[in-house]
């Protein structure tokens, strides 16, 4: 069994606290109990507005309101003025679920307030979540 989100169109500017990446179509519901392989890819853009600064986009999967251990990924850059960096990062983890849980992508910005970071998604499918059933618990 396999479930995944479809290609989405987003450009969400990140804040300094973890927030759900919207639209709500970037969530999956685990249909039944078992061990699931959960993976995601998130296309991030970071923009350094000043020299000798860092800017990062941190992503993580949440099970309801709790982060899933081992699912955090980080993309970013530092050092040069007016540098823009894009990367598609993600993680794959095995998680035991009871069934019915909602898994969502969350993200935040790490770095100087005058710089910015965002998560992008276009119909080419670069920002997605997928789950593959592996075995019974």
């Amino acid at each position: 069994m396999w479930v995944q989100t479809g290609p989405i169109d987003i450009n969400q500017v990140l804040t300094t606290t973890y927030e759900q990446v919207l639209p709500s179509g970037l969530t999956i519901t685990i249909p039944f109990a078992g061990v699931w392989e959960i993976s995601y890819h998130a296309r991030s853009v970071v923009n350094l507005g000043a020299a000798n600064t860092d800017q990062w986009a941190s992503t993580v999967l949440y099970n309801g309101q709790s982060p899933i251990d081992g699912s955090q990924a980080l993309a970013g850059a530092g050092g040069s003025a007016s540098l823009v960096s894009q990367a598609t990062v993600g993680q794959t983890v095995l998680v035991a679920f009871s069934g019915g849980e909602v898994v969502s992508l969350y993200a935040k910005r790490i770095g100087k307030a005058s710089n910015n970071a965002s998560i992008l998604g276009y119909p080419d499918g670069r920002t997605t979540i997928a789950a593959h059933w592996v075995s019974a618990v």
Side-chain angles (χ1 to χ4, degrees), residues 9 18 23 26-27 29 35 42 45 48-49 56 64 78-79 86-87 92 95 107 120:
D9 190 3
Y18 279 115
L26 195 53
T27 63
T29 301
V35 175
V45 177
L48 299 180
W56 305 92
Q86 295 191 37
T92 300
V95 181
L120 298 179

Side-chain angles (χ1 to χ4, degrees), residues 6-10 43 120-128:
I8 58 170
D9 190 3
I10 59 170
R43 180 180 174 195
L120 298 179
Y122 294 106
D124 60 11
R126 290 185 181 162
T127 299
T128 61

Side-chain angles (χ1 to χ4, degrees), residues 60-69 102 104 106:
V60 65
L61 291 175
Y62 270 61
N63 175 2
Q65 298 300 309
S66 301
I68 296 175
D69 290 339
V102 176
S104 305
Y106 279 63

Side-chain angles (χ1 to χ4, degrees), residues 7-20:
I8 58 170
D9 190 3
I10 59 170
N11 183 355
Q12 183 169 328
V13 176
L14 303 180
T15 67
T16 57
T17 58
Y18 279 115
E19 295 179 356
Q20 185 175 359

Side-chain angles (χ1 to χ4, degrees), residues 1-125:
M1 173 78 179
W2 187 273
V3 292
Q4 68 183 37
T5 61
I8 58 170
D9 190 3
I10 59 170
N11 183 355
Q12 183 169 328
V13 176
L14 303 180
T15 67
T16 57
T17 58
Y18 279 115
E19 295 179 356
Q20 185 175 359
V21 177
L22 299 172
S24 59
L26 195 53
T27 63
I28 57 172
T29 301
I30 303 300
F32 54 84
V35 175
W36 290 77
E37 178 184 68
I38 307 293
S39 66
Y40 74 94
H41 295 91
R43 180 180 174 195
S44 62
V45 177
V46 297
N47 187 349
L48 299 180
N52 301 315
T53 62
D54 295 332
Q55 189 68 12
W56 305 92
S58 177
T59 53
V60 65
L61 291 175
Y62 270 61
N63 175 2
Q65 298 300 309
S66 301
I68 296 175
D69 290 339
S71 69
Q72 184 180 19
L74 192 64
S80 299
S82 301
L83 173 71
V84 176
S85 173
Q86 295 191 37
T88 302
V89 299
Q91 291 286 1
T92 300
V93 293
L94 293 173
V95 181
F97 291 106
S98 300
E101 291 91 343
V102 176
V103 176
S104 305
L105 179 64
Y106 279 63
K108 73 175 182 178
R109 171 180 59 80
I110 302 170
K112 189 174 178 179
S114 62
N115 300 337
N116 61 53
S118 59
I119 299 295
L120 298 179
Y122 294 106
D124 60 11

